Amino acid sequence: QVKVAESGGGLVQPGGSLRLSCAASGRTLDADVIAWFRQAPGKEREGVSCMTTTDGETHYADSVKDRFTISRDNAKNTVYLNMNNLKPEDTAVYYCATDGPQCTFYAPVFVTWGQGTQVTVSS
């Protein structure tokens, strides 16, 4: 079965940048849907960004538009989330998810999840 693993989280000051990676194994991502979710303490999991790997179509939550960018490196079988101008409210555990039927922010439809990577934005 396909597996995904997130990396790249850490502590950053407001206004800083981070790049998260979602590395896939078991199969390539050339015919799949990849989504980033995040969950802050005491809050529900929310969708951040999604990519349909067949055509590169992308979607973003309003809260991260113009700040976050999802991209894909086929050679490395990896999807990235570039995060710029980070804000304290971006603090959360970020998860990569795949094996969903479509590009959606409805988390329960995704079958495969990584363990998450912590992003903390604080001065």
Side-chain angles (χ1 to χ4, degrees):
Q1 185 180 7
V2 64
K3 297 181 180 179
V4 292
E6 308 93 339
S7 62
L11 175 64
V12 63
Q13 294 187 356
S17 300
L18 285 173
R19 186 180 74 168
L20 305 184
S21 299
C22 174
S25 62
R27 72 167 190 262
T28 60
L29 300 172
D30 59 352
D32 215 333
V33 175
I34 299 290
W36 287 96
F37 291 81
R38 66 186 183 186
Q39 187 165 17
K43 297 184 178 180
E44 295 186 0
R45 184 169 43 189
E46 64 175 350
V48 176
S49 183
C50 183
M51 169 180 283
T52 302
T53 59
T54 53
D55 58 9
E57 181 181 356
T58 60
H59 300 275
Y60 298 92
D62 289 341
S63 60
V64 306
K65 285 182 178 178
D66 302 321
R67 298 190 299 119
F68 291 10
T69 303
I70 189 170
S71 61
R72 171 175 165 233
D73 187 330
N74 290 338
K76 297 181 179 180
N77 207 28
T78 299
V79 172
Y80 302 98
L81 184 68
N82 283 90
M83 306 185 296
N84 298 312
N85 192 24
L86 284 161
K87 304 176 180 180
E89 51 263 45
D90 295 319
T91 296
V93 177
Y94 283 71
Y95 297 92
C96 179
T98 190
D99 291 333
Q102 57 187 303
C103 194
T104 178
F105 291 154
Y106 184 59
V109 306
F110 288 92
V111 176
T112 302
W113 293 79
Q115 295 188 23
T117 184
Q118 177 72 49
V119 173
T120 302
V121 184
S122 176
S123 60

